[in-house]
Amino acid sequence: MRQAIWRKSDPAWHICGIPTVFYTDHGSDFTSAHMEQAAAELKIRLVFSLPGQPRGRGKIERIMDTVNTLCLSDLPGYAPRGTKDRAGQARLSLAELDHALGAFFVGTYNQREHGETGHPPQARWEAGAFLPHMPDALEQLDLLLLTVAKPRKIHPDGIHFQSLRYLDPVLAAYVGEDVTIRYDPRDLAEIRVFHQDRYLTRAICPQLAGTTVSLKQRTSIVDRLLAVHTTPDPLTLDPPPEPEESRPKLRSYREE
C-alpha cells in the first residue's frame, strides 16, 4: 500500500496518491487494527467484499488471470495448477519476481488497450488531468505503514537490530535514548528512527549499504558476515577486520 500511494522511482510509472475508497476481501492484513488505524489517519474508507462470494471481487480476479496469462506463464519456473511439486519448480528469487511484475505492469499492462474502456490505463489516467492527493511527506507514510519493531536504545556505535548495526550522524546526540524504529521488510539496508513519536532520521547499515536485502535473506547474510570476521579466508588478500576498539563510534554531545 505504501508503494501504491507514494511516487514511484520509475518515471514511467505515474499512478500514485491516497485512494478515497479501499475495496478488499477479508484477509487478515486488511482487517487488522494496523490497517484500520492507517485508513483513519489517511481518511480512506474501507469497504469489504461479501465472504464466500467471488463475484464481488471480479475486477481483481480478472487482472490476476491477465497477469497469469501474459506475464507469469513466460517466466522461468512457471508451474500451472496441477504441476507436480509446484514449489520445487521455482527458479526466481522474490526480488527477481518483483522486478518482472513491475516491468510487466509499467511496460505492458499500462500500455495495452483495456477491453472495457478502450484506452490504455496509463493514457486514461493522464487524460483525466487527475491531481492525486498525496501525503505531506514519505515519513508520514512510514510512520503509518512500515513494520514496527520493539523500542531500541541508541548505543555509542549506533542502533543494533537483527544482528546488524545502523548508523547516522544525527544519532550522536541521542546516545542512551530509547527510540522506535520502522523498516520495510523487503529492504533492511536502512531503517527509519522515531524519537518520542517524531521522525528523527534514517539510519544505514554499512554492511548492506547500496544493496536491497529482505528480512528473509537477513539470516544467511549475517551468517556470512560473521564467518568473514571470525574465519579468515587464506585465499583472500583483504586485510583482517579492525579490532573492536579501533572502529569509529558515534560520540554523544554529552561526552564533548
Short mmCIF file of all heavy atoms in Angstrom, two decimals, residues 168-228:
data_model
loop_
_atom_site.label_atom_id
_atom_site.label_comp_id
_atom_site.label_asym_id
_atom_site.label_seq_id
_atom_site.Cartn_x
_atom_site.Cartn_y
_atom_site.Cartn_z
N ASP A 168 24.02 6.81 11.77
CA ASP A 168 23.73 8.11 11.17
C ASP A 168 24.27 9.17 12.12
O ASP A 168 24.15 9.02 13.35
CB ASP A 168 22.22 8.31 10.96
CG ASP A 168 21.94 9.58 10.18
OD1 ASP A 168 22.01 9.55 8.94
OD2 ASP A 168 21.65 10.61 10.83
N PRO A 169 24.89 10.23 11.61
CA PRO A 169 25.46 11.26 12.50
C PRO A 169 24.46 11.86 13.48
O PRO A 169 24.84 12.25 14.60
CB PRO A 169 25.98 12.31 11.51
CG PRO A 169 26.26 11.56 10.26
CD PRO A 169 25.20 10.49 10.19
N VAL A 170 23.19 11.94 13.09
CA VAL A 170 22.17 12.54 13.96
C VAL A 170 22.05 11.77 15.27
O VAL A 170 21.72 12.33 16.32
CB VAL A 170 20.81 12.59 13.23
CG1 VAL A 170 19.70 13.06 14.17
CG2 VAL A 170 20.90 13.52 12.03
N LEU A 171 22.31 10.46 15.22
CA LEU A 171 22.14 9.63 16.41
C LEU A 171 23.10 10.00 17.54
O LEU A 171 22.86 9.64 18.69
CB LEU A 171 22.33 8.15 16.04
CG LEU A 171 21.39 7.58 14.98
CD1 LEU A 171 21.72 6.12 14.71
CD2 LEU A 171 19.93 7.73 15.40
N ALA A 172 24.19 10.69 17.22
CA ALA A 172 25.20 11.02 18.23
C ALA A 172 24.61 11.84 19.37
O ALA A 172 25.06 11.73 20.52
CB ALA A 172 26.36 11.77 17.58
N ALA A 173 23.61 12.65 19.08
CA ALA A 173 23.01 13.50 20.11
C ALA A 173 22.01 12.74 20.98
O ALA A 173 21.49 13.30 21.94
CB ALA A 173 22.32 14.70 19.47
N TYR A 174 21.75 11.49 20.62
CA TYR A 174 20.71 10.73 21.34
C TYR A 174 21.25 9.43 21.94
O TYR A 174 20.47 8.52 22.23
CB TYR A 174 19.55 10.41 20.39
CG TYR A 174 18.83 11.63 19.90
CD1 TYR A 174 19.29 12.33 18.78
CD2 TYR A 174 17.69 12.10 20.55
CE1 TYR A 174 18.62 13.46 18.33
CE2 TYR A 174 17.03 13.23 20.10
CZ TYR A 174 17.50 13.90 18.99
OH TYR A 174 16.84 15.01 18.56
N VAL A 175 22.56 9.33 22.12
CA VAL A 175 23.14 8.12 22.70
C VAL A 175 22.54 7.88 24.08
O VAL A 175 22.48 8.78 24.93
CB VAL A 175 24.68 8.23 22.80
CG1 VAL A 175 25.25 7.07 23.59
CG2 VAL A 175 25.28 8.27 21.40
N GLY A 176 22.08 6.65 24.33
CA GLY A 176 21.44 6.30 25.58
C GLY A 176 19.94 6.47 25.58
O GLY A 176 19.25 6.00 26.49
N GLU A 177 19.37 7.13 24.55
CA GLU A 177 17.93 7.36 24.47
C GLU A 177 17.22 6.16 23.87
O GLU A 177 17.78 5.41 23.05
CB GLU A 177 17.65 8.60 23.63
CG GLU A 177 18.21 9.89 24.18
CD GLU A 177 17.35 10.44 25.32
OE1 GLU A 177 16.21 9.98 25.48
OE2 GLU A 177 17.85 11.32 26.05
N ASP A 178 15.94 5.97 24.26
CA ASP A 178 15.09 4.95 23.67
C ASP A 178 14.40 5.52 22.44
O ASP A 178 13.91 6.66 22.46
CB ASP A 178 14.04 4.46 24.67
CG ASP A 178 14.65 3.68 25.82
OD1 ASP A 178 15.62 2.94 25.57
OD2 ASP A 178 14.16 3.80 26.95
N VAL A 179 14.36 4.76 21.36
CA VAL A 179 13.71 5.18 20.12
C VAL A 179 12.87 4.03 19.58
O VAL A 179 12.97 2.89 20.04
CB VAL A 179 14.75 5.60 19.05
CG1 VAL A 179 15.49 6.86 19.48
CG2 VAL A 179 15.72 4.47 18.76
N THR A 180 12.04 4.34 18.62
CA THR A 180 11.28 3.33 17.89
C THR A 180 11.77 3.31 16.46
O THR A 180 12.00 4.36 15.87
CB THR A 180 9.77 3.65 17.91
OG1 THR A 180 9.30 3.67 19.25
CG2 THR A 180 8.99 2.59 17.13
N ILE A 181 11.97 2.13 15.92
CA ILE A 181 12.42 2.04 14.54
C ILE A 181 11.33 1.39 13.69
O ILE A 181 10.57 0.55 14.16
CB ILE A 181 13.73 1.24 14.41
CG1 ILE A 181 13.54 -0.22 14.83
CG2 ILE A 181 14.84 1.88 15.22
CD1 ILE A 181 14.73 -1.11 14.53
N ARG A 182 11.26 1.82 12.46
CA ARG A 182 10.33 1.24 11.48
C ARG A 182 11.14 0.90 10.24
O ARG A 182 12.10 1.58 9.90
CB ARG A 182 9.19 2.21 11.16
CG ARG A 182 8.31 2.50 12.37
CD ARG A 182 7.24 3.54 12.07
NE ARG A 182 6.45 3.84 13.23
CZ ARG A 182 5.26 3.33 13.49
NH1 ARG A 182 4.71 2.50 12.61
NH2 ARG A 182 4.60 3.64 14.58
N TYR A 183 10.72 -0.15 9.55
CA TYR A 183 11.52 -0.62 8.43
C TYR A 183 10.63 -1.30 7.40
O TYR A 183 9.50 -1.71 7.69
CB TYR A 183 12.58 -1.61 8.92
CG TYR A 183 12.03 -2.87 9.56
CD1 TYR A 183 11.86 -4.03 8.82
CD2 TYR A 183 11.66 -2.88 10.89
CE1 TYR A 183 11.33 -5.18 9.40
CE2 TYR A 183 11.13 -4.01 11.48
CZ TYR A 183 10.98 -5.16 10.73
OH TYR A 183 10.44 -6.28 11.30
N ASP A 184 11.15 -1.40 6.20
CA ASP A 184 10.49 -2.12 5.12
C ASP A 184 11.02 -3.55 5.14
O ASP A 184 12.22 -3.76 4.95
CB ASP A 184 10.81 -1.45 3.78
CG ASP A 184 10.09 -2.10 2.60
OD1 ASP A 184 9.58 -3.22 2.77
OD2 ASP A 184 10.06 -1.49 1.52
N PRO A 185 10.17 -4.57 5.36
CA PRO A 185 10.66 -5.95 5.42
C PRO A 185 11.39 -6.39 4.15
O PRO A 185 12.16 -7.34 4.19
CB PRO A 185 9.38 -6.77 5.64
CG PRO A 185 8.40 -5.82 6.22
CD PRO A 185 8.72 -4.49 5.60
N ARG A 186 11.15 -5.70 3.04
CA ARG A 186 11.82 -6.07 1.79
C ARG A 186 13.18 -5.43 1.65
O ARG A 186 13.90 -5.71 0.70
CB ARG A 186 10.94 -5.68 0.60
CG ARG A 186 9.59 -6.38 0.57
CD ARG A 186 8.85 -6.07 -0.71
NE ARG A 186 8.71 -4.63 -0.93
CZ ARG A 186 8.19 -4.10 -2.03
NH1 ARG A 186 7.79 -4.89 -3.01
NH2 ARG A 186 8.09 -2.80 -2.16
N ASP A 187 13.54 -4.52 2.57
CA ASP A 187 14.83 -3.84 2.43
C ASP A 187 15.35 -3.46 3.82
O ASP A 187 14.92 -2.48 4.42
CB ASP A 187 14.67 -2.58 1.58
CG ASP A 187 16.00 -1.90 1.32
OD1 ASP A 187 17.04 -2.46 1.72
OD2 ASP A 187 16.00 -0.81 0.73
N LEU A 188 16.30 -4.24 4.32
CA LEU A 188 16.89 -3.99 5.63
C LEU A 188 18.15 -3.13 5.57
O LEU A 188 18.86 -2.99 6.56
CB LEU A 188 17.22 -5.31 6.33
CG LEU A 188 16.03 -6.14 6.82
CD1 LEU A 188 16.51 -7.35 7.59
CD2 LEU A 188 15.10 -5.30 7.69
N ALA A 189 18.45 -2.56 4.41
CA ALA A 189 19.64 -1.73 4.29
C ALA A 189 19.51 -0.44 5.10
O ALA A 189 20.51 0.17 5.45
CB ALA A 189 19.93 -1.40 2.83
N GLU A 190 18.27 -0.02 5.40
CA GLU A 190 18.07 1.19 6.16
C GLU A 190 16.84 1.06 7.05
O GLU A 190 15.95 0.25 6.79
CB GLU A 190 17.91 2.41 5.23
CG GLU A 190 16.68 2.33 4.33
CD GLU A 190 16.56 3.51 3.40
OE1 GLU A 190 17.60 3.96 2.90
OE2 GLU A 190 15.44 3.99 3.19
N ILE A 191 16.80 1.85 8.10
CA ILE A 191 15.66 1.89 9.00
C ILE A 191 15.30 3.35 9.25
O ILE A 191 16.13 4.24 9.11
CB ILE A 191 15.94 1.19 10.34
CG1 ILE A 191 17.15 1.83 11.04
CG2 ILE A 191 16.16 -0.31 10.15
CD1 ILE A 191 17.43 1.28 12.43
N ARG A 192 14.04 3.61 9.59
CA ARG A 192 13.61 4.94 9.99
C ARG A 192 13.58 4.99 11.51
O ARG A 192 13.08 4.07 12.15
CB ARG A 192 12.23 5.26 9.45
CG ARG A 192 12.21 5.95 8.10
CD ARG A 192 12.65 5.07 6.99
NE ARG A 192 12.33 5.65 5.69
CZ ARG A 192 12.50 5.02 4.55
NH1 ARG A 192 12.97 3.79 4.53
NH2 ARG A 192 12.19 5.58 3.41
N VAL A 193 14.09 6.05 12.08
CA VAL A 193 14.20 6.17 13.53
C VAL A 193 13.25 7.28 14.00
O VAL A 193 13.26 8.39 13.47
CB VAL A 193 15.64 6.49 13.94
CG1 VAL A 193 15.75 6.53 15.47
CG2 VAL A 193 16.62 5.48 13.35
N PHE A 194 12.44 6.94 15.02
CA PHE A 194 11.48 7.90 15.58
C PHE A 194 11.77 8.06 17.08
O PHE A 194 11.97 7.09 17.80
CB PHE A 194 10.05 7.41 15.39
CG PHE A 194 9.63 7.35 13.95
CD1 PHE A 194 9.96 6.24 13.17
CD2 PHE A 194 8.89 8.37 13.37
CE1 PHE A 194 9.58 6.18 11.84
CE2 PHE A 194 8.51 8.31 12.04
CZ PHE A 194 8.86 7.22 11.27
N HIS A 195 11.81 9.32 17.52
CA HIS A 195 12.07 9.63 18.93
C HIS A 195 10.85 10.35 19.48
O HIS A 195 10.46 11.40 18.98
CB HIS A 195 13.32 10.49 19.06
CG HIS A 195 13.68 10.84 20.47
ND1 HIS A 195 13.47 12.08 21.01
CD2 HIS A 195 14.22 10.08 21.46
CE1 HIS A 195 13.88 12.10 22.26
NE2 HIS A 195 14.34 10.90 22.56
N GLN A 196 10.22 9.75 20.49
CA GLN A 196 9.01 10.31 21.09
C GLN A 196 7.96 10.60 20.03
O GLN A 196 7.35 11.67 19.97
CB GLN A 196 9.35 11.57 21.87
CG GLN A 196 10.31 11.33 23.03
CD GLN A 196 10.66 12.58 23.80
OE1 GLN A 196 10.32 13.70 23.39
NE2 GLN A 196 11.36 12.43 24.90
N ASP A 197 7.76 9.57 19.16
CA ASP A 197 6.74 9.60 18.09
C ASP A 197 6.99 10.66 17.02
O ASP A 197 6.10 10.99 16.24
CB ASP A 197 5.33 9.81 18.68
CG ASP A 197 4.89 8.63 19.52
OD1 ASP A 197 5.30 7.50 19.20
OD2 ASP A 197 4.13 8.84 20.48
N ARG A 198 8.19 11.19 16.97
CA ARG A 198 8.54 12.15 15.93
C ARG A 198 9.70 11.59 15.11
O ARG A 198 10.64 11.02 15.65
CB ARG A 198 8.94 13.50 16.53
CG ARG A 198 7.82 14.20 17.29
CD ARG A 198 8.26 15.55 17.81
NE ARG A 198 8.61 16.46 16.72
CZ ARG A 198 9.08 17.68 16.89
NH1 ARG A 198 9.28 18.14 18.12
NH2 ARG A 198 9.37 18.44 15.85
N TYR A 199 9.61 11.79 13.77
CA TYR A 199 10.65 11.28 12.88
C TYR A 199 11.98 11.95 13.20
O TYR A 199 12.07 13.17 13.32
CB TYR A 199 10.26 11.54 11.42
CG TYR A 199 11.34 11.15 10.43
CD1 TYR A 199 11.61 9.82 10.17
CD2 TYR A 199 12.08 12.13 9.77
CE1 TYR A 199 12.60 9.45 9.27
CE2 TYR A 199 13.06 11.78 8.85
CZ TYR A 199 13.32 10.44 8.61
OH TYR A 199 14.30 10.08 7.71
N LEU A 200 13.00 11.11 13.36
CA LEU A 200 14.33 11.63 13.72
C LEU A 200 15.29 11.59 12.54
O LEU A 200 15.83 12.62 12.13
CB LEU A 200 14.89 10.82 14.88
CG LEU A 200 16.23 11.29 15.47
CD1 LEU A 200 16.13 12.69 16.02
CD2 LEU A 200 16.69 10.32 16.56
N THR A 201 15.50 10.40 11.97
CA THR A 201 16.45 10.29 10.88
C THR A 201 16.32 8.92 10.23
O THR A 201 15.56 8.07 10.70
CB THR A 201 17.90 10.49 11.39
OG1 THR A 201 18.78 10.56 10.27
CG2 THR A 201 18.32 9.32 12.29
N ARG A 202 17.08 8.72 9.18
CA ARG A 202 17.17 7.43 8.50
C ARG A 202 18.57 6.89 8.73
O ARG A 202 19.55 7.53 8.40
CB ARG A 202 16.92 7.62 7.00
CG ARG A 202 16.89 6.33 6.22
CD ARG A 202 16.62 6.62 4.77
NE ARG A 202 17.70 7.39 4.16
CZ ARG A 202 17.78 7.65 2.86
NH1 ARG A 202 16.84 7.25 2.05
NH2 ARG A 202 18.80 8.34 2.38
N ALA A 203 18.65 5.71 9.34
CA ALA A 203 19.95 5.11 9.66
C ALA A 203 20.27 4.01 8.66
O ALA A 203 19.39 3.26 8.23
CB ALA A 203 19.94 4.55 11.08
N ILE A 204 21.54 3.92 8.29
CA ILE A 204 22.01 2.99 7.26
C ILE A 204 22.86 1.90 7.89
O ILE A 204 23.66 2.15 8.79
CB ILE A 204 22.83 3.73 6.19
CG1 ILE A 204 22.02 4.90 5.61
CG2 ILE A 204 23.28 2.78 5.08
CD1 ILE A 204 20.78 4.49 4.88
N CYS A 205 22.72 0.67 7.39
CA CYS A 205 23.59 -0.42 7.79
C CYS A 205 24.80 -0.44 6.86
O CYS A 205 24.64 -0.66 5.65
CB CYS A 205 22.85 -1.75 7.72
SG CYS A 205 23.89 -3.19 8.06
N PRO A 206 26.01 -0.18 7.36
CA PRO A 206 27.19 -0.12 6.48
C PRO A 206 27.43 -1.41 5.70
O PRO A 206 27.85 -1.37 4.55
CB PRO A 206 28.34 0.14 7.46
CG PRO A 206 27.71 0.76 8.66
CD PRO A 206 26.36 0.12 8.77
N GLN A 207 27.12 -2.57 6.32
CA GLN A 207 27.35 -3.84 5.64
C GLN A 207 26.44 -4.03 4.44
O GLN A 207 26.78 -4.73 3.49
CB GLN A 207 27.14 -5.02 6.61
CG GLN A 207 28.10 -5.04 7.78
CD GLN A 207 27.45 -4.50 9.03
OE1 GLN A 207 26.75 -3.48 8.97
NE2 GLN A 207 27.69 -5.16 10.15
N LEU A 208 25.24 -3.40 4.49
CA LEU A 208 24.26 -3.60 3.42
C LEU A 208 24.09 -2.37 2.54
O LEU A 208 23.22 -2.35 1.68
CB LEU A 208 22.90 -3.97 4.02
CG LEU A 208 22.88 -5.18 4.97
CD1 LEU A 208 21.46 -5.43 5.45
CD2 LEU A 208 23.43 -6.42 4.28
N ALA A 209 24.88 -1.34 2.76
CA ALA A 209 24.73 -0.08 2.01
C ALA A 209 24.84 -0.34 0.51
O ALA A 209 25.73 -1.05 0.05
CB ALA A 209 25.79 0.92 2.44
N GLY A 210 23.91 0.23 -0.24
CA GLY A 210 23.92 0.08 -1.69
C GLY A 210 23.28 -1.20 -2.18
O GLY A 210 23.28 -1.49 -3.37
N THR A 211 22.70 -1.99 -1.26
CA THR A 211 22.03 -3.23 -1.65
C THR A 211 20.62 -3.24 -1.09
O THR A 211 20.25 -2.43 -0.26
CB THR A 211 22.78 -4.46 -1.12
OG1 THR A 211 22.76 -4.44 0.31
CG2 THR A 211 24.22 -4.48 -1.60
N THR A 212 19.82 -4.18 -1.58
CA THR A 212 18.47 -4.38 -1.07
C THR A 212 18.38 -5.79 -0.53
O THR A 212 18.51 -6.76 -1.27
CB THR A 212 17.42 -4.19 -2.19
OG1 THR A 212 17.52 -2.86 -2.69
CG2 THR A 212 16.01 -4.42 -1.65
N VAL A 213 18.18 -5.91 0.76
CA VAL A 213 18.16 -7.21 1.42
C VAL A 213 16.87 -7.33 2.22
O VAL A 213 16.56 -6.49 3.05
CB VAL A 213 19.38 -7.37 2.36
CG1 VAL A 213 19.32 -8.72 3.07
CG2 VAL A 213 20.67 -7.24 1.58
N SER A 214 16.11 -8.38 1.97
CA SER A 214 14.85 -8.57 2.66
C SER A 214 15.07 -9.21 4.02
O SER A 214 16.14 -9.73 4.33
CB SER A 214 13.92 -9.46 1.83
OG SER A 214 14.39 -10.80 1.83
N LEU A 215 14.02 -9.17 4.84
CA LEU A 215 14.10 -9.78 6.16
C LEU A 215 14.39 -11.27 6.07
O LEU A 215 15.13 -11.82 6.87
CB LEU A 215 12.78 -9.54 6.91
CG LEU A 215 12.70 -10.03 8.36
CD1 LEU A 215 13.76 -9.35 9.20
CD2 LEU A 215 11.31 -9.76 8.92
N LYS A 216 13.84 -11.94 5.06
CA LYS A 216 14.05 -13.38 4.91
C LYS A 216 15.48 -13.70 4.51
O LYS A 216 16.00 -14.76 4.82
CB LYS A 216 13.08 -13.94 3.87
CG LYS A 216 11.63 -13.94 4.34
CD LYS A 216 10.72 -14.60 3.32
CE LYS A 216 9.29 -14.65 3.83
NZ LYS A 216 8.38 -15.30 2.86
N GLN A 217 16.13 -12.77 3.80
CA GLN A 217 17.50 -13.00 3.39
C GLN A 217 18.50 -12.69 4.50
O GLN A 217 19.65 -13.08 4.44
CB GLN A 217 17.84 -12.12 2.17
CG GLN A 217 17.06 -12.47 0.92
CD GLN A 217 17.29 -11.44 -0.16
OE1 GLN A 217 17.18 -10.25 0.09
NE2 GLN A 217 17.62 -11.89 -1.36
N ARG A 218 18.05 -11.98 5.54
CA ARG A 218 18.93 -11.47 6.56
C ARG A 218 19.75 -12.55 7.24
O ARG A 218 20.95 -12.40 7.46
CB ARG A 218 18.12 -10.68 7.58
CG ARG A 218 18.91 -10.04 8.69
CD ARG A 218 18.97 -10.90 9.96
NE ARG A 218 17.66 -11.39 10.32
CZ ARG A 218 17.45 -12.35 11.21
NH1 ARG A 218 18.47 -12.93 11.78
NH2 ARG A 218 16.23 -12.75 11.51
N THR A 219 19.14 -13.68 7.60
CA THR A 219 19.84 -14.70 8.38
C THR A 219 21.08 -15.22 7.68
O THR A 219 22.16 -15.30 8.25
CB THR A 219 18.89 -15.87 8.69
OG1 THR A 219 17.76 -15.36 9.39
CG2 THR A 219 19.60 -16.92 9.54
N SER A 220 20.95 -15.57 6.39
CA SER A 220 22.10 -16.12 5.68
C SER A 220 23.19 -15.07 5.50
O SER A 220 24.38 -15.38 5.54
CB SER A 220 21.65 -16.65 4.31
OG SER A 220 21.11 -15.61 3.52
N ILE A 221 22.81 -13.81 5.31
CA ILE A 221 23.80 -12.76 5.13
C ILE A 221 24.57 -12.52 6.42
O ILE A 221 25.79 -12.38 6.43
CB ILE A 221 23.12 -11.45 4.66
CG1 ILE A 221 22.66 -11.62 3.21
CG2 ILE A 221 24.06 -10.27 4.79
CD1 ILE A 221 21.95 -10.44 2.67
N VAL A 222 23.85 -12.49 7.54
CA VAL A 222 24.51 -12.30 8.83
C VAL A 222 25.48 -13.44 9.10
O VAL A 222 26.60 -13.24 9.57
CB VAL A 222 23.47 -12.20 9.96
CG1 VAL A 222 24.16 -12.26 11.32
CG2 VAL A 222 22.69 -10.91 9.84
N ASP A 223 25.08 -14.67 8.77
CA ASP A 223 25.97 -15.82 8.96
C ASP A 223 27.25 -15.66 8.15
O ASP A 223 28.34 -15.96 8.63
CB ASP A 223 25.24 -17.11 8.56
CG ASP A 223 24.15 -17.49 9.55
OD1 ASP A 223 24.17 -16.95 10.68
OD2 ASP A 223 23.28 -18.30 9.19
N ARG A 224 27.11 -15.16 6.91
CA ARG A 224 28.29 -14.99 6.07
C ARG A 224 29.19 -13.88 6.60
O ARG A 224 30.42 -13.98 6.58
CB ARG A 224 27.87 -14.68 4.63
CG ARG A 224 27.24 -15.87 3.91
CD ARG A 224 27.29 -15.67 2.40
NE ARG A 224 26.55 -14.51 1.97
CZ ARG A 224 25.26 -14.55 1.65
NH1 ARG A 224 24.59 -15.68 1.74
NH2 ARG A 224 24.64 -13.46 1.24
N LEU A 225 28.56 -12.79 7.10
CA LEU A 225 29.35 -11.70 7.66
C LEU A 225 30.13 -12.16 8.89
O LEU A 225 31.30 -11.83 9.06
CB LEU A 225 28.43 -10.54 8.04
CG LEU A 225 27.87 -9.71 6.88
CD1 LEU A 225 26.83 -8.74 7.40
CD2 LEU A 225 28.97 -8.98 6.14
N LEU A 226 29.47 -12.95 9.73
CA LEU A 226 30.15 -13.46 10.92
C LEU A 226 31.29 -14.39 10.54
O LEU A 226 32.36 -14.38 11.15
CB LEU A 226 29.15 -14.20 11.81
CG LEU A 226 28.12 -13.32 12.51
CD1 LEU A 226 27.11 -14.19 13.26
CD2 LEU A 226 28.79 -12.35 13.46
N ALA A 227 31.08 -15.19 9.48
CA ALA A 227 32.13 -16.11 9.04
C ALA A 227 33.35 -15.35 8.54
O ALA A 227 34.49 -15.72 8.79
CB ALA A 227 31.58 -17.03 7.95
N VAL A 228 33.10 -14.24 7.84
CA VAL A 228 34.21 -13.44 7.31
C VAL A 228 35.03 -12.86 8.45
O VAL A 228 36.26 -12.80 8.39
CB VAL A 228 33.66 -12.31 6.41
CG1 VAL A 228 34.76 -11.31 6.10
CG2 VAL A 228 33.11 -12.91 5.12
#
